[in-house]
Amino acid sequence: MSKFFALIPAAGSGSRMGSELPKQYLSLNGKPMIYHAINTLYQSQLITSIFVVLAPSDNDWLKYDWSKFSEKLIVFLCGGTTRADSVLNGLTTAKKRNLLDASDWILVHDAARPCLTSIRLEKLINDLADDEVGGLLAVPVADTLKRSNTKDRIAHTESRENLWQAQTPQMFRCALLTHALHNTMNITDDASAVEALGLQPKLVLSDAYNFKVTYPQDLALAELIIQKRNNP
Ligand code: C5P
């Protein structure tokens, strides 16, 4: 029986956030941001282990208490120069330690998506568990999309028909994802690597709560969402 593992690449610096502290450690409801993503993954009975991939030079992880997550949380100090490198290095390390089989499912989730709900997570797993390819959480684009020229003037309006915003987790079998990441460069998510093999990952409907904290104002919004969840 294939198992399900989560992998959180958390070796980025979060430069768009304009903070000295890497984004994954910014405080959100009294915890580092990554804590919230780990917590949702930890609560799922379907997930065997959560791998967190940190930069080899990480100086912050040990400043916090992770004991709640016990042995289900496994940390690797093998982050790379890009997100894809960090994911690939994490997969390679997990395989070297015999923690993973080729047919196991990997759910790659951004440290900077703290508002993932258990409902969406379980739906993703249930929808894809028998899928040939795998897939990801995503939301249909709601806004009208403008393509600009180099001077911030509208060059044209893009059709939003069949356009989705990709989120995470992105769920693929270990062997396929490893092969895909070995074969691509300049990608910003795992699905792109799989698409480059000519495959068509499935889009599983998510919601706007699972947004990526990227800019300073996003942090306040994430805080409101988590506060509301804790005190409904
Ligand atoms: O920068 P961005 O928000 O796209 O990063 C998405 C995720 O990839 C974050 O969790 C970040 O820590 C991670 N990442 C990584 N290694 C890198 C760059 C980004 O693990 N070299």
Side-chain angles (χ1 to χ4, degrees), residues 22-34:
K23 183 165 68 169
Q24 55 271 25
Y25 296 116
L26 292 178
S27 179
L28 193 57
N29 279 50
K31 301 280 186 202
M33 179 156 49
I34 189 174

Side-chain angles (χ1 to χ4, degrees), residues 105 127-135 172-173 176 194 199-201:
W105 287 101
D127 279 16
L128 297 179
D130 295 322
D131 199 89
E132 289 280 302
V133 178
F172 298 100
R173 289 193 189 268
L176 174 64
V194 174
L199 298 170
Q200 295 185 319

Side-chain angles (χ1 to χ4, degrees), residues 8-14 16 23-24 53 79-84 86-87 109-112 188 212-214:
I8 305 181
S13 61
R16 285 172 291 182
K23 183 165 68 169
Q24 55 271 25
V53 180
T81 47
T82 65
R83 180 189 185 280
S86 297
V87 174
H109 186 56
D110 289 333
T188 51
K212 183 162 73 171
V213 174
T214 306

Side-chain angles (χ1 to χ4, degrees), residues 13 36 39 45 68-69 81 85 100 102 113 115 118 140 146 164 200 205 226 231:
S13 61
H36 300 280
N39 198 33
Q45 305 288 323
K68 170 182 174 182
F69 304 121
T81 47
D85 289 337
L100 275 180
R113 292 189 191 269
C115 302
S118 301
K146 306 293 184 189
W164 296 65
Q200 295 185 319
L205 183 65
I226 288 172
N231 305 292

